[in-house]
């Protein structure tokens, strides 16, 4: 098996561009809605006669919706590259834990594990919120705890994969292998529950001016974007590797026919 890291990084980059387009079409309108509601709520709370100054020039450009759309795509491109690196590590662990399977199964399992441990499990603990929700004073603490949660979640998934790899390489068979697999699953669940309970969650409540439908749409489109990102990386890597391997096999077959043809003529 070749080193898929460069390939995964490149596909992660293009996956970020793809998901950036998806988010601009579906989630940016929800963000606009949240920004408008936040502005209306701030205006209602402001003292009578007091008006908020509007940014001009370069600061207005930075805060413009167009710039935010570009920044969203750029952030997802970086995220896609990082996800490509994470996928590479888990892919090789899955490949060694289940060596008899094919690359499509390895990639799909690796992608699903990545999606669960990095994206879905994290959103269950720290549900994504649109702009304007959350206190500035708690931003650093929230991001720090969220990063720690993702790190421990990924470490737990890697640990479970390494145990499964050990079970295969140690040659466990029959009931011993079944008990090993079952014990690994139970151990992972216990660790996941401990991490979920032990790390503090988001302390900031949802403001009253935010409709429930807005929150549901934002979180749904966000997690779908993450799913699309992981699936694009997993299927893109496995599809490209299979395509290249078939090309090499076809070329080798043609070469073999070419060397045998003169002997046949003799």
């Amino acid at each position: 098996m070749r080193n898929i890291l460069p390939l995964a990084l490149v596909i992660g980059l293009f996956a970020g561009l793809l998901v950036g387009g998806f988010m601009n079409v579906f989630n940016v309108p929800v963000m606009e809605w949240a920004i408008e509601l936040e502005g209306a709520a701030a205006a209602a709370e402001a003292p009578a006669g007091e008006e908020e100054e509007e940014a001009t020039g370069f600061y207005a450009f930075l805060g413009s919706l167009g710039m935010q759309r570009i920044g969203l795509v750029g952030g997802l491109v970086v995220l896609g590259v990082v996800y490509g690196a994470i996928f590479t590590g888990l892919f090789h662990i899955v490949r060694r834990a289940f060596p008899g399977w094919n690359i499509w199964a390895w990639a799909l399992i690796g992608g699903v594990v990545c999606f669960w441990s990095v994206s879905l499990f994290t959103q269950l603990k720290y549900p994504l919120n649109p702009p304007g929700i959350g206190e500035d004073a708690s931003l650093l603490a929230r991001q720090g705890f969220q990063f720690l949660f993702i790190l421990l979640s990924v470490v737990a998934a890697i640990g479970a994969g390494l145990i499964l790899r050990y079970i295969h390489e140690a040659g466990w068979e029959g009931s011993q292998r079944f008990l090993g697999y079952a014990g690994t699953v139970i151990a992972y669940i216990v660790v996941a529950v401990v991490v979920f309970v032990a790390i503090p969650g988001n302390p900031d409540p949802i403001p009253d001016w935010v409709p429930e439908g807005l929150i549901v749409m934002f979180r749904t489109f966000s997690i779908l974007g993450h799913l699309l990102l992981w699936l694009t990386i997993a299927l893109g890597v496995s599809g490209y590797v299979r395509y290249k391997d078939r090309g090499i096999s076809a070329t080798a077959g043609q070469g073999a026919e070419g060397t045998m043809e003169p002997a046949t003529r003799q």
Side-chain angles (χ1 to χ4, degrees):
M1 172 63 67
R2 69 189 69 181
N3 180 17
I4 67 167
L5 178 59
L7 175 62
L9 297 181
V10 173
I11 292 180
L13 185 150
F14 285 104
L17 290 173
L18 173 65
V19 176
F22 172 85
M23 290 295 195
N24 269 289
V25 172
F26 292 98
N27 224 15
V28 168
V30 181
M31 295 169 62
E32 294 177 4
W33 183 17
I35 292 172
E36 291 176 359
L37 292 175
E38 181 188 16
E45 294 177 359
E50 181 177 338
E51 296 182 358
E52 183 179 356
E53 295 182 2
E54 295 185 359
T56 59
F58 180 70
Y59 295 100
F61 170 72
L62 289 178
S64 65
L65 183 59
M67 189 60 185
Q68 291 179 17
R69 288 179 180 270
I70 295 174
L72 176 63
V73 175
L76 285 168
V77 166
V78 174
L79 192 64
V81 173
V82 174
Y83 280 7
I86 297 174
F87 171 80
T88 300
L90 284 171
F91 172 85
H92 284 299
I93 291 175
V94 172
R95 180 174 67 87
R96 290 183 173 90
F98 307 101
W101 298 8
N102 60 44
I103 190 172
W104 293 107
W106 295 333
L108 284 175
I109 293 175
V112 169
V113 172
C114 288
F115 171 68
W116 161 254
S117 59
V118 177
S119 302
L120 184 57
F121 189 41
T122 303
Q123 179 153 322
L124 294 177
K125 179 66 176 182
Y126 299 96
L128 297 173
N129 292 322
I133 299 178
E135 300 295 333
D136 294 337
S138 63
L139 178 61
L140 186 60
R142 283 186 283 118
Q143 291 181 340
F145 282 126
Q146 185 172 350
F147 176 79
L148 177 61
F149 185 88
I150 295 174
L151 178 63
L152 294 178
S153 177
V154 173
V155 168
I158 292 175
L162 291 176
I163 294 175
L164 295 178
R165 172 186 169 183
Y166 171 79
I167 291 173
H168 169 76
E169 293 179 347
W172 293 12
E173 297 293 342
S175 59
Q176 185 183 26
R177 171 170 288 197
F178 173 78
L179 291 175
Y181 285 169
T184 302
V185 172
I186 294 172
Y188 171 78
I189 293 175
V190 171
V191 172
V193 170
V194 170
V195 170
F196 191 91
V197 173
I199 297 181
N202 185 357
D204 298 333
I206 303 296
D208 295 335
W209 50 265
V210 181
E212 182 178 355
L214 187 151
I215 298 295
V216 171
M217 284 192 294
F218 183 83
R219 292 174 179 174
T220 300
F221 290 138
S222 296
I223 201 63
L224 286 177
H226 280 256
L227 177 61
L228 178 60
L229 192 58
W230 286 116
L231 287 180
T232 302
I233 295 173
L235 297 179
V237 169
S238 56
Y240 183 83
V241 171
R242 285 298 300 269
Y243 170 77
K244 293 295 291 184
D245 288 346
R246 286 182 178 180
I248 293 173
S249 299
T251 303
Q254 292 175 0
E257 292 176 0
T259 55
M260 292 177 62
E261 187 175 358
T264 305
R265 288 178 180 177
Q266 291 177 356

